[in-house]
């Protein structure tokens, strides 16, 4: 059964819908099944946020987001969710080559999946990221990957600043990263790259 598709009830017949699966956005079929004034309770996929809303006469719904730290399994499509994220997490673990961006991070390494506040913020601002965390002795490593091919890996031991490797289509800030194969000091590389970017903007 497709939980985001047509529901097995007449349109406008349900006075309550409580979803035990999380979705990135409310499917139109759920609102269609509700009667006017009917209440919907669901959770936002990838976050710990719950949503309660009541259907209005225009067919929409008005409600609020509640900070109850609730969560259910994501609605799945195909064999993987999000698409390709599992393979990308594997690539983030082993990639260390040409074209990569490498920098020292400014923030400590966090197990995002178990930091509910941070995970919710990331899912709302950059949805679809898969996370993995590994710890061995004093060394901590966090992995991030997205279905568009972007990935990142941060590693640190003890209190040191993490070394962050990044790749893919989402280019990191030139203030915080440099090409892995760029021999210039980070400050010089960043200044030159910023100058080149400014020149390109002027031409356009």
């Amino acid at each position: 059964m497709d939980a985001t598709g047509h529901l097995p009830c007449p349109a406008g017949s349900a006075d309550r819908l409580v979803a035990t699966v999380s979705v990135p956005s409310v499917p139109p079929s759920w609102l269609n099944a509700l009667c006017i004034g009917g209440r919907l309770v669901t959770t936002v996929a990838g976050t710990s946020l719950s949503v309660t809303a009541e259907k209005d006469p225009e067919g929409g719904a008005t409600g609020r987001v509640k900070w109850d730290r609730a969560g259910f399994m994501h609605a799945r499509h195909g064999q993987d969710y999000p698409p390709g994220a599992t393979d990308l997490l594997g690539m983030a673990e082993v990639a260390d080559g040409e074209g990569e961006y490498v920098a020292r991070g400014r923030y400590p390494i966090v197990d995002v999946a178990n930091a509910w506040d941070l995970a919710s913020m990331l899912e709302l601002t950059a949805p679809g990221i898969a996370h993995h965390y590994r710890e061995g002795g004093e060394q901590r490593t966090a992995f991030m990957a997205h279905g568009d091919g972007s990935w990142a890996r941060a590693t640190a031991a003890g209190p040191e600043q993490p070394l962050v490797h990044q790749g893919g289509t989402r280019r990191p800030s030139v203030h915080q990263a440099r090409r892995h194969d760029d021999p210039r000091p980070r400050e010089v590389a960043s200044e030159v790259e910023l100058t080149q970017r400014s020149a390109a903007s002027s031409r356009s």
Side-chain angles (χ1 to χ4, degrees), residues 32-188:
N32 185 58
L34 280 174
C35 64
I36 302 301
R39 169 165 285 198
L40 170 69
V41 180
T42 187
T43 55
V44 180
T47 76
S48 53
L49 305 175
S50 61
V51 176
T52 59
E54 294 184 354
K55 184 174 178 179
D56 56 44
E58 288 73 35
T62 303
R64 62 177 180 167
V65 176
K66 301 181 66 177
W67 192 247
D68 285 341
R69 288 177 169 79
F72 290 103
M73 179 184 291
H74 296 198
R76 301 177 72 89
H77 297 276
Q79 298 300 312
D80 193 18
Y81 188 93
T86 301
D87 292 339
L88 287 169
L89 282 169
M91 184 179 68
E93 184 167 357
V94 301
D96 186 21
E98 185 178 354
E100 213 176 338
Y101 287 83
V102 182
R104 286 288 175 184
R106 295 181 293 173
Y107 305 104
I109 293 177
V110 177
D111 182 0
V112 174
N114 288 306
W116 285 27
D117 294 3
L118 178 59
S120 296
M121 180 194 69
L122 284 174
E123 183 62 23
L124 292 175
T125 56
I129 297 175
H131 300 274
H132 180 62
Y133 177 82
R134 187 173 63 220
E135 191 171 312
E138 289 194 350
Q139 182 163 299
R140 307 175 311 282
T141 306
F143 308 91
M144 302 172 68
H146 191 273
D148 66 3
S150 302
W151 60 269
R153 179 181 75 248
T155 304
E160 69 180 9
Q161 289 181 297
L163 183 64
V164 181
H165 295 248
Q166 305 183 64
T169 58
R170 301 190 183 197
R171 185 173 181 171
S173 166
V174 294
H175 290 291
Q176 302 174 28
R178 63 183 176 86
R179 288 287 293 242
H180 183 57
D181 55 358
D182 193 334
R184 297 171 295 181
R186 185 182 306 148
E187 294 80 5
V188 174

